[in-house]
Each structure stands twice: as structure tokens, then as C-alpha cells.
Amino acid sequence: MATVKNYIKKRGSTYHYERRYPVTVTRLTDFDKGLKFQISLGTSDIRVARSRAIEKDREFDRICAEALKWAPSKPIASATPLAPSAEPVNLTDSFLHRLSEQYFREFVQRDTELEQRAETDEFAADELEFKATRYAPVRRLDVNGNPVDEALDDARHKRFLLKEFTSDTDHLVEDEARKRGIEIGSSNYKLIEKAIVKARLRAYHAGYDKKPGDMFPPGYSPGAPPINLALEIEWSLRRLSEEYIKNNKLKPAWLDKVKKAVATFEDYNGAAKLATSIDRKKVKSFTRFLLQAPINATQYFPGMSLTGATEANNKRSKPYPTIAPNTVKNGYIGPLRKVFSYAVAELDYSENPFANTTVEGAKRNTKKTIFDTHELNALFALPLYRGCRSSHFRLTPGNYQVDDEAFWTPLLMLFTGARVSEIAQLAISDIKLETKVPYIDILTEYDPNDPDDKPFVLSGKSDNAKRRIPIHPQLLRIGFSAYVEKVRKTGQPRLFPKWKKSSNEMKLYSSASWCNQFNQKLVRAITARKPKPTLYSLRHVFKTRMAMCGVSPQFQNEILGHTQAGMDSTYLHLAQDIEALQRAINLVQYEGLNLPDRSMKHLRLSGYQ
């Protein structure tokens, strides 16, 4: 407990009594005397000041007792909110270390400023001398002037300093506790007290370690960046990811990746583990595990966790292919890295264990591969586009003409640049053939808050994806308008009724299996080069062709659903001029491209009955 002399401060030539009111008093709504009791003792004599301070000490106790007498039965909560968690405050070692380091800097700065003022200010010199005398160690000497027991004296001096510094810093401890809603006298309160007293003791010893001529002691840098003293929140990885999702506007595809990555890591590492317990060693182990896990695990090993599926796959005589390194990097490590980046920036986690994680075999993103004209001609010369045996034998020549998403999706991508997911969810009402400029309406007529519109907008990527794309004359010549009318007469609401619903709640219609079939069968049938182009490359072909045909970047972005660069996003309103968009689309021509001819009379067209 602090003694009376601890509350005596010299201001100018006069001593004052200064003492902070306890938190239990200052929290009271009716207490209006501020945070500190301070009054002049009216003397420059320290002995008189100590005598008068005893009476002021009694007056201080009377004020506190009177205030608490009328206090409500339940203490009023601190105005400062707790950390953003409904869970109890948990002071981590990292937080306590940073708190101690911050106060060490402050104590050293104060001591240094006092030394500088003492050179020109006699009152500062008196205060410096008083502190030096007060904290000086006491050495017991024998009759010959030799130390009696230095180890015992050092131990006594340390206990004395701890007692003095505990009293001197009690108001700082109370402030830190109050900021975080920590109860006075609790275990967390004592941890904060220990950290601050440790900092004061360290600063005291640092003053003696300072070399002659140095302004600051070793271990202190005046230009060091400030320390963030926000509390680290002890959450599980799932709880941390929920906080990240709640406070960030994520696109559906990325949201799905985050949830999948978190679930997979918890399956491997355990759901009950705290996020702060994840270190680089566990991340490396997780990465190696993913590289051994089979692709399409839910399909090949239904009902099994990924860990169980990996073990079962390793026991097969011929194991299924494992997850590709780039998928591990971008589909699992990348999302988890983002979650921890948020934790470091917003929740003051000390480090991101997923930062700078390398995945063996993963390749850097390279330039996209696109189809050349020769490969496109080979694609559209396949029986799928010229006449096949039947709907089940689409790569065998015959007189049956496929007339569904398999036929039209590549052509729509090649002449509109639309994404596969956007084409999959098109409704018949999105195709505007009766207007002056025929166009495809992508996501612009739907309200995401309307339940009736939900089947049409779930897969929308962003506001930029909402756009109108004029229908290229080549599509009309091939017979796109006839296809639309045929489906309309059947009463089907969707442009491609056969397109399967997705089992993934984050997606509206599944295109993964269809895209894989296109890439593995059709692309392999037309080219052997590596790396091979893919179905999505058709969108890149359209983008490239627009640039080659003189379409401006602003019109390219509008047609493809990309964000406009710089101030163009503010001042340009190209979507309102559909005729200007039509002129841009009509510039796109594919020289030497042989497209399917739907006028061949001998072909039997498939339809929706």
C-alpha cells in the first residue's frame, strides 16, 4: 500500500498533495470531483508538508467513503466497451509484452525529459535529486567499510522498488483495466499491474546502464513506431473467419472458398483449437496434407472427411489424382491468409502464420492461353456442331444436331464475352429480340431482396456484372433467335432448361462438370499443345478480338462487366447508350473463322418437348 509521502508532489517551490480517486468512486454517475484529488500544502518545507499531508489523506478517505455510501447496489459499468467479443477478456502473452514495452518507452521518455529540464530548472533538479535519493539502494557496511551481504541488500532493494513502483503506477493500471472493462483486483488486473511495474523497473535499471554522453539508454529508440495495444481476441479459426466475413463485403465465390478452407483446416487440425495457436509449423503440415488429398473427395469417398478420404485413397491400388498445387495455393492457403491478415490488421494478432507460405509445385500466374483461329475452326468442325450420331454420342458423326447449352454456350462466349455462370442462369425474358437493338440483359432486371428473383441473381459477381450486351449479328445468322423462340413456346422460364442445378448453395447452376467435359474431351480433340486453352479462354479470345478490332478499353470493360479504370467509373455512363454498345460489338470480326451452318436441311434438330 502506498504511504503518505507517495502523494506529495513539488510544484514550483510549494509542495502539493495529489492522489487519484479509485475507479470504484470515479465510475459513480454522481461523483463530480474529477479523477484526482489535489490541493496545495502551502509550504516549501518537506517536513511540514508531510505533517499536513496526513490530514489531507484523512480528508481523501472521507470523500471516498461518503461517495461510496450513496453508491448504487450494483456498480455502474465502464463507459468503455469490452473487446469485440461476447467471450471473457483473455490477456495473451503477446498483449502483455506489448503493453509492457509501451510503458517502458513512456517511462524512459519521462525520465529523459526530467534530466533535460534539470539542467536549467532548479525545481526539476530538486525532483530528480529526490527520486535518486528515494530509489537509491542501501548498502550495509562493516566497521572497515566493506559490504556485509550484497546479495541480501540487492534482494531487499528489489522488493523495495517493486513496492514503490506498484504504488506509483496504480493509477496507470486502473486506467488500462478500465479501458478494457476489467474488474479491479481480478486476475487480469494483476497481470496488467505486473506488466506495467515490470516496465517501470526496467526503465529504472536502463537509466543506470546509460553510457556517459548518451541521451537515451540501451533498448530504447525514440523513433520507434507506436505500439497497438488492442486486445487479441482468443477465438477459434471458425469464429475468426465469421468475424472476417461479417466485416468484409465478399463476393460469393470468395466467400465459398473461405468457408471451405476453414472447414478443411478444422477437419485436419481440430475445430476446438484457438486461432492464435496456429503457427507456421502447422501451416506447413496442412499444406503437405492437402497435396496428398484426392480431388473430388466428396464424389469418390461420400460421407468421409477429407482426412478419411486421403487415408482411403492412399490404400487404393490405383489412387485418384490429388489436389493440384495451384488449387492448394489459391483455394486453401490464400483464403486463410486473408483471414489472418484481417486478424493482424483489425484484431491486433501478432503474426499471420499463412504469410509467405510456399506450396511445392505451385506455379505463378502466367499469361492466359487462348484459342487461335485454326483451333476454333477445328472446334466448330466437330460433330457436336456439324451433326452427330445422337444426343449421347456427340463426337460421333451423324445427322443429329445438338441444340442446347453445349452448342450455344461456346458461341455466346465467343461473341459476347459472358461468363459461363452468367450464361447458365439466363432466363428467356433476358433475351430482348423485339427491341430496336437486340440485346442480352444480364442481372439488371432483378432485385436481390425479392425472393421471386433469387433464382436469377445468386451467382452475380458484382454490380459491374449487371449489364446489357447487344447480340452480335453472327449469332442471329447462326439461328440464336430461332432457338430462343423455340424454348419460349415450350413455356420454359430458363434459356437452357437442361442445365443442372448446383448442389453448392453458393452457386445457382453447376458448370464445373460441363466445363471439365469440354476441356477434357473437346479441347483434347482439337489441339495437343501445352498449356491447353480452356472453355473460359473463349472469353479471353473475345477480349483480345475487341482490342484488335479497335474497340476502346472503356467499351471493352462495359461489355465484359469489368470495373472502369480511374475516373471513368464516375463520369462514363456507357450502359445507357445501347446503340453505341452495338456499334462496338459489330466491330468484332473473326477473319477466317468457319462457324456452324444451321441451314443444313438434312439435320434433325433436338428440342424441348
Side-chain angles (χ1 to χ4, degrees), residues 110-168:
R110 292 178 190 177
D111 293 345
T112 304
E113 291 174 355
L114 180 62
E115 291 177 6
Q116 293 173 342
R117 291 201 317 271
E119 297 177 0
T120 57
D121 186 341
E122 59 177 316
F123 300 113
D126 289 343
E127 185 176 354
L128 184 63
E129 183 180 0
F130 172 76
K131 286 187 172 183
T133 303
R134 175 184 174 190
Y135 299 138
V138 177
R139 296 295 183 190
R140 294 174 300 154
L141 306 175
D142 58 18
V143 292
N144 297 321
N146 298 318
V148 175
D149 190 339
E150 287 190 78
L152 181 60
D153 288 342
D154 288 341
R156 287 177 174 176
H157 183 237
K158 182 177 180 180
R159 287 197 298 270
F160 167 76
L161 290 178
L162 287 174
K163 180 179 178 181
E164 292 295 304
F165 291 156
T166 300
S167 298
D168 289 348

Side-chain angles (χ1 to χ4, degrees), residues 38 87 91 94 136 139 187 261 268 287 326 332 461 465 492 593:
Q38 51 188 359
E87 301 156 16
L91 303 182
S94 173
R139 296 295 183 190
S187 58
Y268 174 73
T287 304
N326 272 49
Y332 294 91
K461 291 195 67 170
Q492 295 281 359
L593 180 61

Side-chain angles (χ1 to χ4, degrees), residues 168-421:
D168 289 348
T169 59
D170 60 349
H171 62 289
L172 300 175
V173 178
E174 288 183 6
D175 283 346
E176 291 296 335
R178 181 165 49 186
K179 288 177 186 177
R180 292 163 178 81
I182 294 175
E183 184 179 354
I184 306 300
S186 65
S187 58
N188 278 335
Y189 180 88
K190 292 178 181 178
L191 288 174
I192 291 177
E193 181 182 64
K194 183 179 179 180
I196 294 178
V197 171
K198 178 182 177 182
R200 186 68 191 94
L201 189 64
R202 182 183 165 201
Y204 168 79
H205 289 299
Y208 284 94
D209 295 337
K210 187 166 57 175
K211 296 179 180 179
D214 289 347
M215 180 175 294
F216 299 105
Y220 174 81
S221 175
I227 297 175
N228 191 334
L229 294 179
L231 282 174
E232 289 178 332
I233 309 303
E234 289 288 358
W235 285 331
S236 66
L237 177 59
R238 183 176 297 275
R239 178 67 182 84
L240 176 60
S241 68
E242 290 170 353
E243 192 72 11
Y244 164 70
I245 292 169
K246 182 177 72 173
N247 292 287
N248 292 274
K249 189 176 181 180
L250 306 181
K251 294 180 180 179
W254 184 252
L255 177 64
D256 190 33
K257 281 187 176 182
V258 171
K259 290 183 176 181
K260 183 177 181 181
V262 169
T264 303
F265 190 90
E266 288 188 338
D267 171 42
Y268 174 73
N269 193 56
K273 301 292 182 63
L274 295 177
T276 49
S277 70
I278 300 173
D279 54 22
R280 295 186 182 277
K281 184 177 180 181
K282 292 180 180 177
V283 172
K284 289 182 179 179
S285 176
F286 177 62
T287 304
R288 290 193 294 269
F289 160 72
L290 289 175
L291 292 172
Q292 299 173 2
I295 61 172
N296 303 326
T298 56
Q299 177 182 343
Y300 293 137
F301 303 98
M304 287 189 180
S305 64
L306 188 59
T307 304
T310 302
E311 295 175 355
N313 191 49
N314 291 335
K315 294 177 181 178
R316 287 176 55 84
S317 57
K318 186 178 180 181
Y320 294 114
T322 55
I323 300 176
N326 272 49
T327 303
V328 173
K329 175 184 175 182
N330 301 322
Y332 294 91
I333 303 301
L336 293 172
R337 182 188 297 119
K338 284 289 187 181
V339 171
F340 274 90
S341 294
Y342 168 80
V344 170
E346 302 297 333
L347 302 178
D348 202 45
Y349 275 47
S350 56
E351 69 168 337
N352 183 346
F354 289 88
N356 302 318
T357 299
T358 57
V359 179
E360 185 178 355
K363 300 177 182 178
R364 292 186 177 182
N365 292 332
T366 56
K367 191 173 181 180
K368 302 296 184 182
T369 302
I370 64 173
F371 293 95
D372 59 30
T373 303
H374 173 75
E375 291 167 338
L376 288 175
N377 282 332
L379 173 66
F380 293 122
L382 292 174
L384 172 65
Y385 298 98
R386 299 292 175 173
C388 60
R389 179 179 172 184
S390 69
S391 61
H392 299 292
F393 296 92
R394 299 189 173 196
L395 294 182
T396 303
N399 62 353
Y400 179 88
Q401 178 63 62
V402 175
D403 199 29
D404 56 19
E405 64 275 2
F407 180 90
W408 288 107
T409 298
L411 290 167
L412 286 170
M413 295 181 71
L414 195 61
F415 285 99
T416 66
R419 302 175 179 90
V420 180
S421 59

